[in-house]
Structure formats: structure tokens, C-alpha cells
Amino acid sequence: MPKIIACCVLFLMIATQSFAVQATESPASEVSLKTMIGQMIMVGFRGEGATAARVILRDIKQHQIGGVILFEKDYLRPQAVRNIISKAQVCDLVDALQDISTIPLFIAIDQEGGLVSRFKPTHGFAGTPSAQKLGEKPVSETFAAGERTGAYLKDVGVNMDFAPVLDVNVNPESPVIGAIQRSFSSDPATVAKYAHAFAQGMGRYGIISGYKHFPGHGSSLSDSHKGLPDVTKTWSKKELLPYAELLGTEPLHVVMVGHLYHRKLDADTPTSLSYPVVTKMLREKLNYDGVIVTDDLQMRAITNQYSIDEAAVKAVQAGSDIVLVGNNMKYDPKIVSKLVTSLTWAVHNGDIPIERIRQSYDRIMKLKHDSGLLVDDVSKQ
């Protein structure tokens, strides 16, 4: 019993202890481990207003999470409203979320155009063509589509769009990319050109783009929502070319790592949880020092093999900065506390060095500062 008590006390000390970090404006500021870990979590939630969304409001206040992602549909309740009814309603919802947050939130969405559009004309939002349709037209039309998207995202308070897709259309029959027109082209240079145009259009309105799905989902033969696609025989290095072209250039962006399996890149681990892929390839070979986000850790490509807790720890060990859990394919009102606990214990146990947490926190805060979300200095949290 004394050992258990001592362990619990030590855990609480670690969770609340302040560590010196390089914050955006104040190098001498001190930020708690709890705050740093909270900023590394982005989750989906149920509720279209402050009352219905009371669980996420609690989590924002208690755990200082860094962001949320909005969905139109509730996967487990097809007839239910998730987060989106109308422009005015989304504005009110986002205001309620931001008002309770000490540090401004990333408010994210998947608004690619075409079939992958959470905001639809029925909600009062102007639609845009799919990436494939845009890729068949002059690039100026893709820039204009990015502008239109950026304008209405800004109007409702969304500041991050997990678009454009940088996947090369290697396999037009890919059920999750080519078959539903999510790729601009089968030519990597064209993908880079059009994706950059879309991102620039959104960037005019301060929207952070999400380049996905690293290292390339376009050759997959299956859907990572349903299982782990093996791209060992179909993937090629040309799928990295759009990333090599765009990473580190304007406009502001993050990179989302996809759930794929490539035996020659990492024989033991999905790409999204792989140190050789995330750190060695994306960070070191492509020299990317921006924010990295996992694809939804509830997708069956991950949950068929790992628990959410285990996946979150492995993602951070691999080099990702934000662990994304849509909380939609499975709904857990306690998901945030579980993620915070698992990551905190991983630091306590030495499985994740505190410096790894500091690095992610610094990248996240820099992006929030550079995007205009964070105006004042972050002092003691």
C-alpha cells in the first residue's frame, strides 16, 4: 500500500510540475507538463451547442487541450446531428469553445471539396469541386476554390483545414483516394502545383492547411478506416515529391501522417506510429520542423492492433506533435482524460523523454503564434 501511495503522489507531482520551455515570446516562461500534453491532443466531440457539448467544454477547461475537429455526421448515430447545422450555429459553437479555453484552440475540419466536405450547401456553405475535377482545370480555379473555402471557414471560426490532399493518384481505383476523386493528379508535380494553389487560397484568410496523407496514400488498395493498407508493392518515392516541394514554404501548414504499412520503410509498425517514417524520413530527410498530426487513431488500421492509449504513446515516440482522435467511429466521453493519463505516465516511466514533449509544445505554440491565434505571451499555465 505505501508503494501505491508513493507512486500516485509522484504521478501527481509530475503532472503538475512546471518545466522551463521555450515559449513563443517568453523564453523564461514556465509551463506545466499538463498544459504541454493537453496542447498535443485534438479530439472530436458530440454537441452542436454549449449545452450539448458540455463534455468537451469540461475537457478544454480541465485539460487545456490544443484543438478539436468538427464533424457533420455521427458515425454511431446516423440520424443525429454531430456539430454542424448552419453557419450561425457553428459560429456560436466555436465561440463557446474558444471562450472557455485559456490558449486559443485549433478548430479543424476536413473540407477538401467534392465528397469530403463536412460543410455542405444544405448548411449554407458554398461547395467546391473535388481535387480531381479541379486538377482538370486551370490552376487559377484551384486557387479560387481555396479562397472560397478559406473565406467561409474564417467566417465561422474554423482555423485549420485538413486539406489539400497531397496523395498522388497512382491507383485510380483506390477506394479511399482515387475512386472518390481526392487526388489532383497522377503526376506528382501537378499535385504539388495544385495543392499549393489551394493552400495559398485558404492562406489568404489565415487558414492553416493540412497536407495529407504522408508518405502517400494514393497507391493503396484498401481503406485505412477498415484495416491497415499494405503499400509495400505499390508505393514509390515519387509520392514524396509533393511534400519535398511544399514543406517549409508558405502558407502555414501541418502534415498529417497516414495509417499505412510499408515493409521496406518499417517492417513492424504502421507509418503513423513509425519513428523511421515520421522522424527519419519526414523530419530528417525532408527537413520538416513544423507540426505533425496523426490521422484519426480510431481508424481500424490502428485499433485492430493497438489500444488508443498505446497508439497515442507510440505516435509521440515516433515524432508526431498532435494525436488526433475523432471520437466518432467509437465515442468515449472520457477519451481526453485517458489520453492525458497515458501520455503523462509515459513521461513518468521514461518511455517519452520530457524533451520530446517540449519540442511538440514549442512547435504547436509557434504555429498558433504565426497564424495569429496566439497574440499574448504564454506565461505560467
Side-chain angles (χ1 to χ4, degrees):
M1 183 64 71
K3 289 184 178 180
I4 295 175
I5 294 174
C7 189
C8 291
V9 170
L10 180 58
F11 173 74
L12 290 172
M13 290 174 63
I14 289 175
T16 57
Q17 181 180 354
S18 292
F19 296 88
V21 299
Q22 296 289 324
T24 306
E25 294 288 333
S26 305
S29 67
E30 293 182 348
V31 181
S32 69
L33 176 61
K34 177 180 178 180
T35 295
M36 291 192 289
I37 286 177
Q39 287 297 297
M40 295 172 67
I41 294 171
M42 177 180 285
V43 295
F45 61 96
R46 283 178 173 172
E48 76 286 352
T51 300
R54 59 188 177 277
V55 172
I56 194 66
L57 292 174
R58 175 203 68 194
D59 288 334
I60 292 169
K61 187 173 183 179
Q62 291 183 358
H63 299 292
Q64 296 179 305
I65 61 173
V68 298
I69 182 168
L70 305 181
F71 289 100
E72 173 201 9
K73 296 179 180 179
D74 193 299
Y75 184 81
L76 300 175
R77 304 179 304 169
Q79 304 306 315
V81 172
R82 179 78 173 189
N83 308 127
I84 301 167
I85 299 173
S86 68
K87 283 186 176 181
Q89 167 267 323
V90 174
C91 282
D92 290 343
L93 173 61
V94 170
D95 286 346
L97 299 174
Q98 294 286 23
D99 285 348
I100 204 168
S101 185
T102 303
I103 301 172
L105 296 160
F106 289 134
I107 308 290
I109 199 163
D110 291 293
Q111 192 70 15
E112 300 173 14
L115 291 175
V116 183
S117 301
R118 312 306 184 201
F119 291 146
K120 293 182 168 59
T122 53
H123 305 129
F125 297 90
T128 55
S130 68
Q132 182 174 307
K133 293 294 183 184
L134 288 172
E136 297 168 354
K137 301 176 180 180
V139 71
S140 59
E141 294 196 28
T142 298
F143 177 81
E147 279 191 308
R148 292 196 300 274
T149 302
Y152 64 69
L153 293 183
K154 181 180 180 181
D155 283 347
V156 297
V158 172
N159 50 51
M160 181 180 289
D161 185 7
F162 290 127
V165 167
L166 266 62
D167 298 318
V168 180
N169 195 18
V170 177
N171 173 22
E173 302 303 318
S174 171
V176 73
I177 303 295
I180 52 175
Q181 303 186 358
R182 296 175 72 192
S183 173
F184 288 105
S185 175
S186 60
D187 173 51
T190 301
V191 170
K193 180 179 179 180
Y194 278 73
H196 194 218
F198 190 88
Q200 284 181 312
M202 291 200 299
R204 292 196 61 184
Y205 292 89
I207 307 301
I208 302 165
S209 291
Y211 296 153
K212 61 186 185 186
H213 307 78
F214 187 85
H217 214 312
S219 69
S220 64
L221 302 174
S222 59
D223 184 347
S224 51
H225 292 84
K226 300 177 180 179
L228 183 61
D230 187 340
V231 297
T232 303
K233 296 180 179 180
T234 58
W235 184 88
S236 66
K237 290 184 179 180
K238 73 176 185 179
E239 297 180 58
L240 296 176
L241 294 178
Y243 293 94
E245 183 74 19
L246 300 186
L247 294 185
T249 66
E250 292 293 336
L252 293 175
H253 54 269
V254 300
V255 173
M256 175 179 282
V257 184
H259 304 315
L260 302 162
Y261 177 73
H262 192 310
R263 188 177 299 106
K264 295 180 181 178
L265 300 181
D266 190 327
D268 302 314
T269 314
T271 52
S272 53
L273 311 182
S274 168
Y275 185 87
V277 172
V278 178
T279 294
K280 290 297 184 180
M281 181 182 288
L282 181 51
R283 291 275 186 226
E284 297 179 7
K285 289 187 179 180
L286 294 181
N287 199 30
Y288 179 65
D289 194 38
V291 171
I292 297 175
V293 186
T294 69
D295 206 343
D296 186 356
L297 292 181
Q298 282 186 331
M299 292 162 69
R300 292 195 181 98
I302 299 301
T303 59
N304 283 350
Q305 186 174 355
Y306 304 94
S307 69
I308 291 293
D309 292 355
E310 184 181 10
V313 170
K314 291 183 74 67
V316 174
Q317 289 172 330
S320 286
D321 304 300
I322 295 177
V323 294
L324 171 61
V325 177
N327 210 19
N328 201 358
M329 296 184 73
K330 177 182 179 182
Y331 179 70
D332 182 354
K334 297 181 180 179
I335 190 64
V336 171
S337 62
K338 291 178 180 178
L339 291 169
V340 169
T341 299
S342 62
L343 291 173
T344 303
W345 271 113
V347 175
H348 162 67
N349 291 332
D351 294 329
I352 299 178
I354 184 62
E355 184 56 34
R356 176 74 273 285
I357 301 295
R358 286 195 189 101
Q359 290 170 348
S360 289
Y361 174 81
D362 287 347
R363 291 188 189 106
I364 291 164
M365 299 308 285
K366 182 178 187 302
L367 181 58
K368 288 189 174 184
H369 178 265
D370 291 348
S371 65
L373 285 176
L374 187 66
V375 178
D376 299 324
D377 294 357
V378 176
S379 54
K380 292 183 180 179
Q381 301 294 334

